[in-house]
Amino acid sequence: LESLLQRSFDNKYPTNNIVAEEFCMSKTFLYARVSSDGQSHDSQTQSLMKKYPGSIIVMETASGIKARPMLETLLEQLKPGDKLVVSALDRIGRKVSEILDKVEDLHRRKIDFISERESIDFSTPIGRMVTAVIASCAALERELISSRTVAGIEAARARGAQIGRPKTISDRTLSRGIS
């Protein structure tokens, strides 16, 4: 695109000015991520599309612990003046340090970042501080859920419940086959 625009501006190759302006203008990108194929992006995208009509939508299905190639590509392609909008802060990262690194990188590159749920201006020092607090709370929430899950499994085992996949062969049959 850059070479096409450069040739156009050099007047060697005439092009439609509207097209040239479109490529030069800043753009708004909506990023939505769900963890599995069974989930829908609708809850994230519908309200954002109403609030930011004409935005470019980037949707990805990627678990929180796996790589997010669509997000990484999008972040690389953003230019100063562009805007990245997500439904919630935890859509761009799982760890506090990861989220803060991305927000700082966007700020340094003069790219606006909006997280609708938190309604924070990330371009200010207070906004970045609040981002750190919110990201820490999200990490705490994930850790609490994980510890409650483990505690629930241990309690179920103590009650004699079978956890996991049912046995396909009985202990009696197994012991006869081994002896």
Side-chain angles (χ1 to χ4, degrees):
L1 292 176
E2 289 179 15
S3 65
L4 171 69
L5 290 175
Q6 186 59 47
R7 288 188 305 224
S8 171
F9 293 130
D10 289 343
N11 294 322
K12 294 179 182 175
Y13 300 95
T15 187
N16 183 336
N17 285 338
I18 294 172
V19 172
E21 285 177 21
E22 181 180 316
F23 288 121
C24 294
M25 291 176 23
S26 60
K27 296 182 173 84
T28 299
F29 295 86
L30 309 178
Y31 175 75
R33 178 187 60 80
V34 294
S35 300
S36 66
D37 289 327
Q39 296 175 316
S40 171
H41 294 92
D42 291 348
S43 64
Q44 295 176 50
T45 58
Q46 287 177 352
S47 64
L48 294 178
M49 290 186 317
K50 286 179 186 172
K51 192 165 183 177
Y52 301 95
S55 298
I56 300 163
I57 302 166
V58 178
M59 294 186 281
E60 182 163 48
T61 301
S63 172
I65 56 174
K66 294 181 183 171
R68 298 178 194 97
M70 297 291 291
L71 176 61
E72 296 307 321
T73 300
L74 173 60
L75 292 173
E76 290 172 10
Q77 300 298 318
L78 292 171
K79 295 181 176 25
D82 284 347
K83 184 183 298 185
L84 174 60
V85 182
V86 295
S87 62
L89 194 55
D90 63 0
R91 298 295 87 195
I92 64 164
R94 189 161 181 83
K95 297 179 182 174
V96 175
S97 60
E98 179 185 6
I99 293 169
L100 294 177
D101 286 347
K102 286 180 180 161
V103 170
E104 277 299 315
D105 178 58
L106 293 170
H107 176 69
R108 189 172 37 257
R109 293 170 48 204
K110 300 190 181 338
I111 296 164
D112 292 334
F113 176 67
I114 297 172
S115 177
E116 282 297 313
R117 181 173 65 190
E118 291 83 12
S119 299
I120 300 169
D121 181 356
F122 294 95
S123 65
T124 67
I126 297 295
R128 288 189 296 281
M129 186 269 313
V130 171
T131 301
V133 171
I134 290 171
S136 297
C137 291
L140 174 63
E141 181 181 10
R142 277 192 303 277
E143 290 175 23
L144 290 174
I145 289 169
S146 178
S147 66
R148 285 192 299 258
T149 302
V150 169
I153 290 171
E154 289 172 359
R157 281 190 179 131
R159 290 189 311 269
Q162 179 181 336
I163 305 298
R165 189 174 166 190
K167 293 180 180 179
T168 57
I169 189 168
S170 70
D171 290 337
R172 184 176 172 202
T173 305
L174 184 62
S175 64
R176 280 190 287 171
I178 294 176
S179 31

